[in-house]
């Protein structure tokens, strides 16, 4: 196996791990929202902020380590933000 194949496998694994982490955050936030009496709970905001900060740091590490391209890293964070916003909107509509 050539070094470029090994590097590609490592990059693919890093991307898969980051995508899985984003999915786990989405699930956590969804469960959190379903179990809160109000969507404007400080606890929800704190969990969301903490999870997003942690994820952005993971993406930043992967970018700096050369495992993920910077534009792809930004896309991952942006996609998670959009998905969480959509989830928040859907939960608010269903609560009304």
């Amino acid at each position: 196996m050539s070094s470029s194949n090994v590097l590609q496998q490592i990059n693919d694994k890093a991307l898969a791990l980051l995508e899985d982490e984003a999915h786990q955050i989405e699930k956590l936030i969804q469960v959190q929202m379903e179990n809160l009496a109000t969507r404007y709970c400080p606890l929800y905001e704190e969990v969301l902020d903490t999870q997003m900060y942690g994820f952005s740091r993971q993406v930043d590490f992967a970018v700096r380590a050369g495992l993920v391209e910077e534009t792809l890293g930004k896309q991952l964070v942006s996609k998670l933000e959009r998905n969480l916003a959509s989830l928040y909107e859907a939960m608010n509509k269903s609560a009304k």
Side-chain angles (χ1 to χ4, degrees):
M1 189 179 291
S2 72
S3 62
S4 63
N5 288 346
V6 171
L7 185 56
Q8 185 61 47
Q9 285 182 339
I10 291 170
N11 291 350
D12 291 346
K13 180 68 173 178
L15 181 58
L17 289 170
L18 289 171
E19 288 173 339
D20 184 55
E21 182 68 21
H23 182 68
Q24 293 299 321
I25 291 170
E26 288 176 30
K27 287 187 352 187
L28 171 72
I29 297 302
Q30 182 176 16
V31 167
Q32 190 90 19
M33 289 178 73
E34 288 172 353
N35 292 311
L36 293 175
T38 176
R39 305 295 179 248
Y40 302 102
C41 177
L43 177 61
Y44 163 76
E45 294 295 331
E46 185 173 325
V47 169
L48 178 59
D49 289 346
T50 301
Q51 292 297 316
M52 285 303 299
Y53 177 76
F55 182 69
S56 68
R57 298 305 303 153
Q58 289 175 332
V59 170
D60 183 56
F61 173 80
V63 167
R64 288 186 295 133
L67 300 172
V68 175
E69 291 183 24
E70 185 176 1
T71 55
L72 184 56
K74 287 179 180 180
Q75 288 173 353
L76 287 169
V77 173
S78 189
K79 179 181 176 186
L80 178 58
E81 289 172 342
R82 284 191 312 272
N83 288 350
L84 292 176
S86 296
L87 176 63
Y88 186 77
E89 294 275 327
M91 294 299 288
N92 274 337
K93 285 180 184 176
S94 68
K96 291 180 180 179

